[in-house]
Short mmCIF file of all heavy atoms in Angstrom, two decimals:
data_model
loop_
_atom_site.label_atom_id
_atom_site.label_comp_id
_atom_site.label_asym_id
_atom_site.label_seq_id
_atom_site.Cartn_x
_atom_site.Cartn_y
_atom_site.Cartn_z
N ILE A 1478 10.71 -2.86 -2.86
CA ILE A 1478 11.73 -2.01 -3.48
C ILE A 1478 13.06 -2.76 -3.60
O ILE A 1478 14.10 -2.15 -3.82
CB ILE A 1478 11.92 -0.68 -2.71
CG1 ILE A 1478 12.24 -0.94 -1.23
CG2 ILE A 1478 10.68 0.18 -2.84
CD1 ILE A 1478 12.57 0.32 -0.45
N ASP A 1513 21.23 1.35 -9.52
CA ASP A 1513 21.53 2.77 -9.65
C ASP A 1513 20.31 3.52 -9.11
O ASP A 1513 19.24 3.50 -9.72
CB ASP A 1513 21.79 3.13 -11.10
CG ASP A 1513 22.26 4.58 -11.28
OD1 ASP A 1513 22.37 5.29 -10.27
OD2 ASP A 1513 22.51 4.98 -12.44
N VAL A 1514 20.46 4.18 -7.96
CA VAL A 1514 19.35 4.82 -7.26
C VAL A 1514 19.38 6.33 -7.50
O VAL A 1514 20.43 6.96 -7.37
CB VAL A 1514 19.42 4.53 -5.75
CG1 VAL A 1514 18.29 5.23 -5.01
CG2 VAL A 1514 19.38 3.02 -5.50
N ARG A 1515 18.22 6.90 -7.83
CA ARG A 1515 18.11 8.33 -8.08
C ARG A 1515 17.07 8.95 -7.12
O ARG A 1515 15.87 8.78 -7.32
CB ARG A 1515 17.69 8.59 -9.53
CG ARG A 1515 18.58 7.94 -10.58
CD ARG A 1515 19.97 8.55 -10.60
NE ARG A 1515 20.85 7.87 -11.52
CZ ARG A 1515 21.07 8.24 -12.79
NH1 ARG A 1515 20.44 9.30 -13.28
NH2 ARG A 1515 21.91 7.56 -13.55
N PRO A 1516 17.51 9.67 -6.08
CA PRO A 1516 16.57 10.35 -5.18
C PRO A 1516 15.81 11.45 -5.93
O PRO A 1516 16.33 12.05 -6.88
CB PRO A 1516 17.47 10.94 -4.10
CG PRO A 1516 18.74 10.16 -4.19
CD PRO A 1516 18.90 9.81 -5.64
N THR A 1517 14.59 11.72 -5.51
CA THR A 1517 13.76 12.75 -6.12
C THR A 1517 13.02 13.52 -5.03
O THR A 1517 13.12 13.19 -3.85
CB THR A 1517 12.71 12.12 -7.06
OG1 THR A 1517 11.76 11.40 -6.27
CG2 THR A 1517 13.35 11.19 -8.07
N GLU A 1518 12.24 14.51 -5.44
CA GLU A 1518 11.43 15.26 -4.48
C GLU A 1518 10.29 14.42 -3.91
O GLU A 1518 9.79 14.68 -2.82
CB GLU A 1518 10.84 16.51 -5.15
CG GLU A 1518 11.84 17.61 -5.42
CD GLU A 1518 11.15 18.87 -5.91
OE1 GLU A 1518 10.58 18.84 -7.02
OE2 GLU A 1518 11.16 19.88 -5.17
N TYR A 1519 9.85 13.42 -4.67
CA TYR A 1519 8.72 12.60 -4.21
C TYR A 1519 9.16 11.31 -3.56
O TYR A 1519 8.35 10.61 -2.96
CB TYR A 1519 7.78 12.28 -5.39
CG TYR A 1519 8.45 11.52 -6.53
CD1 TYR A 1519 8.66 10.15 -6.46
CD2 TYR A 1519 8.86 12.19 -7.68
CE1 TYR A 1519 9.27 9.46 -7.49
CE2 TYR A 1519 9.47 11.51 -8.72
CZ TYR A 1519 9.67 10.15 -8.63
OH TYR A 1519 10.29 9.47 -9.66
N GLY A 1520 10.42 10.94 -3.68
CA GLY A 1520 10.92 9.68 -3.14
C GLY A 1520 12.19 9.27 -3.85
O GLY A 1520 13.23 9.91 -3.70
N ALA A 1521 12.10 8.22 -4.67
CA ALA A 1521 13.28 7.75 -5.41
C ALA A 1521 12.83 6.77 -6.49
O ALA A 1521 11.79 6.12 -6.37
CB ALA A 1521 14.28 7.09 -4.48
N TYR A 1522 13.63 6.67 -7.55
CA TYR A 1522 13.45 5.60 -8.52
C TYR A 1522 14.82 4.97 -8.77
O TYR A 1522 15.86 5.55 -8.44
CB TYR A 1522 12.82 6.11 -9.82
CG TYR A 1522 13.66 7.06 -10.65
CD1 TYR A 1522 14.40 6.63 -11.74
CD2 TYR A 1522 13.70 8.43 -10.33
CE1 TYR A 1522 15.15 7.51 -12.50
CE2 TYR A 1522 14.45 9.32 -11.09
CZ TYR A 1522 15.17 8.85 -12.18
OH TYR A 1522 15.93 9.73 -12.93
N TYR A 1523 14.81 3.78 -9.31
CA TYR A 1523 16.10 3.12 -9.52
C TYR A 1523 16.01 2.11 -10.65
O TYR A 1523 14.92 1.63 -11.01
CB TYR A 1523 16.58 2.42 -8.25
CG TYR A 1523 15.89 1.12 -7.90
CD1 TYR A 1523 16.57 -0.09 -8.00
CD2 TYR A 1523 14.60 1.10 -7.42
CE1 TYR A 1523 15.95 -1.29 -7.67
CE2 TYR A 1523 13.97 -0.08 -7.06
CZ TYR A 1523 14.66 -1.28 -7.19
OH TYR A 1523 14.04 -2.46 -6.86
N SER A 1524 17.17 1.82 -11.20
CA SER A 1524 17.29 0.74 -12.18
C SER A 1524 18.05 -0.42 -11.55
O SER A 1524 19.08 -0.21 -10.89
CB SER A 1524 18.04 1.22 -13.43
OG SER A 1524 18.43 0.09 -14.22
N ILE A 1539 13.03 -0.68 -13.90
CA ILE A 1539 13.01 0.66 -13.30
C ILE A 1539 11.75 0.79 -12.45
O ILE A 1539 10.63 0.78 -12.96
CB ILE A 1539 13.05 1.73 -14.40
CG1 ILE A 1539 14.30 1.53 -15.26
CG2 ILE A 1539 13.03 3.13 -13.78
CD1 ILE A 1539 14.27 2.28 -16.57
N SER A 1540 11.94 0.90 -11.14
CA SER A 1540 10.84 0.94 -10.19
C SER A 1540 10.84 2.26 -9.42
O SER A 1540 11.86 2.93 -9.30
CB SER A 1540 10.94 -0.23 -9.21
OG SER A 1540 10.88 -1.47 -9.90
N GLN A 1541 9.68 2.59 -8.88
CA GLN A 1541 9.48 3.85 -8.18
C GLN A 1541 9.12 3.62 -6.72
O GLN A 1541 8.42 2.66 -6.37
CB GLN A 1541 8.33 4.64 -8.82
CG GLN A 1541 8.51 5.00 -10.28
CD GLN A 1541 9.24 6.31 -10.47
OE1 GLN A 1541 9.73 6.93 -9.51
NE2 GLN A 1541 9.32 6.77 -11.70
N PHE A 1542 9.58 4.52 -5.86
CA PHE A 1542 9.05 4.66 -4.50
C PHE A 1542 8.53 6.08 -4.37
O PHE A 1542 9.26 7.05 -4.62
CB PHE A 1542 10.13 4.42 -3.44
CG PHE A 1542 9.70 4.89 -2.06
CD1 PHE A 1542 8.75 4.20 -1.35
CD2 PHE A 1542 10.24 6.05 -1.50
CE1 PHE A 1542 8.31 4.64 -0.10
CE2 PHE A 1542 9.83 6.50 -0.26
CZ PHE A 1542 8.86 5.79 0.45
N ILE A 1543 7.26 6.20 -3.98
CA ILE A 1543 6.64 7.51 -3.80
C ILE A 1543 6.21 7.63 -2.34
O ILE A 1543 5.47 6.79 -1.83
CB ILE A 1543 5.42 7.70 -4.72
CG1 ILE A 1543 5.81 7.50 -6.20
CG2 ILE A 1543 4.83 9.09 -4.55
CD1 ILE A 1543 5.40 6.16 -6.75
N MET A 1544 6.70 8.65 -1.67
CA MET A 1544 6.37 8.84 -0.26
C MET A 1544 4.86 9.03 -0.09
O MET A 1544 4.22 9.63 -0.95
CB MET A 1544 7.10 10.06 0.29
CG MET A 1544 8.62 9.92 0.27
SD MET A 1544 9.45 11.43 0.81
CE MET A 1544 9.13 11.37 2.57
N HIS A 1547 4.08 4.22 -1.19
CA HIS A 1547 3.64 3.69 -2.48
C HIS A 1547 4.83 3.19 -3.30
O HIS A 1547 5.92 3.76 -3.23
CB HIS A 1547 2.92 4.77 -3.29
CG HIS A 1547 1.82 5.45 -2.56
ND1 HIS A 1547 0.65 4.82 -2.20
CD2 HIS A 1547 1.70 6.73 -2.11
CE1 HIS A 1547 -0.14 5.67 -1.57
NE2 HIS A 1547 0.47 6.84 -1.50
N THR A 1548 4.57 2.16 -4.10
CA THR A 1548 5.59 1.67 -5.02
C THR A 1548 4.97 1.45 -6.39
O THR A 1548 3.76 1.23 -6.53
CB THR A 1548 6.20 0.33 -4.53
OG1 THR A 1548 5.16 -0.64 -4.36
CG2 THR A 1548 6.94 0.52 -3.23
N MET A 1549 5.81 1.52 -7.40
CA MET A 1549 5.44 1.16 -8.77
C MET A 1549 6.55 0.24 -9.27
O MET A 1549 7.68 0.69 -9.51
CB MET A 1549 5.32 2.39 -9.67
CG MET A 1549 4.21 3.34 -9.30
SD MET A 1549 4.21 4.80 -10.37
CE MET A 1549 2.80 5.71 -9.72
N ILE A 1550 6.23 -1.04 -9.39
CA ILE A 1550 7.23 -2.02 -9.77
C ILE A 1550 7.42 -2.03 -11.27
O ILE A 1550 6.48 -1.77 -12.03
CB ILE A 1550 6.81 -3.42 -9.26
CG1 ILE A 1550 6.63 -3.37 -7.75
CG2 ILE A 1550 7.83 -4.48 -9.63
CD1 ILE A 1550 7.82 -2.83 -7.00
N GLN A 1675 20.96 -1.01 -1.95
CA GLN A 1675 21.08 0.45 -2.03
C GLN A 1675 19.72 1.16 -1.95
O GLN A 1675 19.58 2.19 -1.29
CB GLN A 1675 21.76 0.85 -3.33
CG GLN A 1675 23.22 0.43 -3.43
CD GLN A 1675 23.79 0.78 -4.80
OE1 GLN A 1675 23.71 1.92 -5.24
NE2 GLN A 1675 24.34 -0.20 -5.47
N MET A 1676 18.72 0.63 -2.64
CA MET A 1676 17.41 1.28 -2.64
C MET A 1676 16.77 1.19 -1.26
O MET A 1676 16.18 2.17 -0.77
CB MET A 1676 16.50 0.65 -3.70
CG MET A 1676 15.15 1.32 -3.84
SD MET A 1676 15.24 3.04 -4.42
CE MET A 1676 13.49 3.34 -4.74
N VAL A 1677 16.88 0.04 -0.62
CA VAL A 1677 16.34 -0.13 0.73
C VAL A 1677 16.98 0.88 1.68
O VAL A 1677 16.29 1.55 2.46
CB VAL A 1677 16.58 -1.57 1.23
CG1 VAL A 1677 16.24 -1.71 2.70
CG2 VAL A 1677 15.75 -2.56 0.40
N ILE A 1678 18.30 1.02 1.61
CA ILE A 1678 19.01 1.96 2.47
C ILE A 1678 18.55 3.40 2.20
O ILE A 1678 18.28 4.17 3.12
CB ILE A 1678 20.53 1.84 2.25
CG1 ILE A 1678 21.02 0.46 2.71
CG2 ILE A 1678 21.28 2.94 2.98
CD1 ILE A 1678 22.44 0.13 2.28
N ALA A 1679 18.45 3.74 0.90
CA ALA A 1679 18.07 5.11 0.53
C ALA A 1679 16.68 5.47 1.05
O ALA A 1679 16.45 6.56 1.57
CB ALA A 1679 18.13 5.27 -0.98
N VAL A 1680 15.73 4.54 0.92
CA VAL A 1680 14.35 4.83 1.34
C VAL A 1680 14.25 4.89 2.86
O VAL A 1680 13.53 5.74 3.41
CB VAL A 1680 13.39 3.79 0.74
CG1 VAL A 1680 11.99 3.95 1.32
CG2 VAL A 1680 13.34 3.94 -0.78
N ARG A 1681 14.96 4.04 3.56
CA ARG A 1681 14.98 4.13 5.03
C ARG A 1681 15.45 5.51 5.47
O ARG A 1681 14.81 6.17 6.29
CB ARG A 1681 15.93 3.07 5.61
CG ARG A 1681 15.44 1.66 5.58
CD ARG A 1681 16.48 0.76 6.21
NE ARG A 1681 16.15 -0.64 6.05
CZ ARG A 1681 16.92 -1.64 6.47
NH1 ARG A 1681 18.08 -1.38 7.08
NH2 ARG A 1681 16.56 -2.90 6.30
N MET A 1683 15.57 8.26 3.84
CA MET A 1683 14.65 9.30 3.39
C MET A 1683 13.46 9.44 4.34
O MET A 1683 13.07 10.55 4.73
CB MET A 1683 14.16 8.92 1.99
CG MET A 1683 13.27 9.91 1.31
SD MET A 1683 12.88 9.29 -0.35
CE MET A 1683 14.54 9.09 -1.03
N MET A 1684 12.87 8.31 4.71
CA MET A 1684 11.68 8.35 5.57
C MET A 1684 12.02 8.78 7.00
O MET A 1684 11.27 9.53 7.63
CB MET A 1684 10.99 7.00 5.56
CG MET A 1684 10.33 6.64 4.23
SD MET A 1684 9.14 7.88 3.66
CE MET A 1684 7.90 7.81 4.96
N ARG A 1686 14.57 10.69 7.86
CA ARG A 1686 14.90 12.12 7.78
C ARG A 1686 13.62 12.95 7.68
O ARG A 1686 13.50 13.99 8.34
CB ARG A 1686 15.80 12.37 6.57
CG ARG A 1686 16.21 13.84 6.42
CD ARG A 1686 17.27 14.03 5.35
NE ARG A 1686 16.80 13.61 4.04
CZ ARG A 1686 17.23 12.54 3.39
NH1 ARG A 1686 18.15 11.76 3.93
NH2 ARG A 1686 16.75 12.25 2.20
N ASN A 1700 5.97 16.46 -1.97
CA ASN A 1700 4.87 15.82 -2.72
C ASN A 1700 3.54 15.83 -1.98
O ASN A 1700 2.53 15.39 -2.52
CB ASN A 1700 5.24 14.39 -3.13
CG ASN A 1700 5.32 13.42 -1.96
OD1 ASN A 1700 5.72 13.78 -0.86
ND2 ASN A 1700 4.95 12.18 -2.21
N LEU A 1706 4.00 15.98 -8.70
CA LEU A 1706 5.03 14.99 -8.42
C LEU A 1706 4.48 13.55 -8.42
O LEU A 1706 5.25 12.60 -8.41
CB LEU A 1706 5.69 15.29 -7.08
CG LEU A 1706 6.47 16.60 -7.00
CD1 LEU A 1706 6.98 16.84 -5.58
CD2 LEU A 1706 7.63 16.59 -7.99
N VAL A 1709 4.13 10.02 -12.23
CA VAL A 1709 5.27 9.19 -12.60
C VAL A 1709 4.81 7.78 -12.91
O VAL A 1709 3.71 7.36 -12.52
CB VAL A 1709 6.34 9.16 -11.48
CG1 VAL A 1709 6.93 10.54 -11.28
CG2 VAL A 1709 5.77 8.61 -10.18
N ARG A 1710 5.67 7.03 -13.59
CA ARG A 1710 5.43 5.64 -13.93
C ARG A 1710 6.70 4.84 -13.67
O ARG A 1710 7.80 5.39 -13.61
CB ARG A 1710 5.08 5.48 -15.40
CG ARG A 1710 3.78 6.08 -15.87
CD ARG A 1710 3.68 6.02 -17.38
NE ARG A 1710 2.38 6.49 -17.87
CZ ARG A 1710 2.14 6.77 -19.15
NH1 ARG A 1710 3.11 6.63 -20.05
NH2 ARG A 1710 0.94 7.16 -19.52
N SER A 1711 6.54 3.55 -13.60
CA SER A 1711 7.69 2.66 -13.65
C SER A 1711 7.98 2.36 -15.12
O SER A 1711 7.25 2.79 -16.02
CB SER A 1711 7.39 1.36 -12.89
OG SER A 1711 6.26 0.71 -13.46
N TRP A 1722 20.43 5.25 -19.00
CA TRP A 1722 19.10 4.66 -18.82
C TRP A 1722 18.08 5.68 -18.31
O TRP A 1722 16.91 5.63 -18.70
CB TRP A 1722 19.17 3.46 -17.87
CG TRP A 1722 19.51 3.82 -16.44
CD1 TRP A 1722 20.74 3.88 -15.88
CD2 TRP A 1722 18.57 4.18 -15.42
NE1 TRP A 1722 20.65 4.27 -14.56
CE2 TRP A 1722 19.33 4.45 -14.25
CE3 TRP A 1722 17.18 4.30 -15.37
CZ2 TRP A 1722 18.73 4.83 -13.04
CZ3 TRP A 1722 16.58 4.69 -14.17
CH2 TRP A 1722 17.36 4.94 -13.02
N ARG A 1730 8.77 7.41 -18.11
CA ARG A 1730 8.51 7.49 -16.66
C ARG A 1730 7.59 8.66 -16.30
O ARG A 1730 7.29 8.87 -15.13
CB ARG A 1730 9.83 7.59 -15.90
CG ARG A 1730 10.64 6.31 -15.89
CD ARG A 1730 11.91 6.43 -15.07
NE ARG A 1730 12.93 7.24 -15.71
CZ ARG A 1730 13.21 8.49 -15.42
NH1 ARG A 1730 12.54 9.10 -14.44
NH2 ARG A 1730 14.16 9.15 -16.05
#
Side-chain angles (χ1 to χ4, degrees):
I1478 55 175
D1513 186 0
V1514 178
R1515 305 293 175 95
T1517 69
E1518 287 188 294
Y1519 60 80
Y1522 67 98
Y1523 76 110
S1524 166
I1539 303 165
S1540 300
Q1541 300 272 7
F1542 166 72
I1543 304 102
M1544 297 176 74
H1547 308 292
T1548 57
M1549 295 177 179
I1550 302 307
Q1675 293 176 54
M1676 183 64 170
V1677 171
I1678 295 168
V1680 172
R1681 286 181 188 178
M1683 184 178 303
M1684 291 304 297
R1686 181 171 62 250
N1700 69 325
L1706 295 175
V1709 296
R1710 294 172 175 167
S1711 60
W1722 68 269
R1730 289 183 287 102

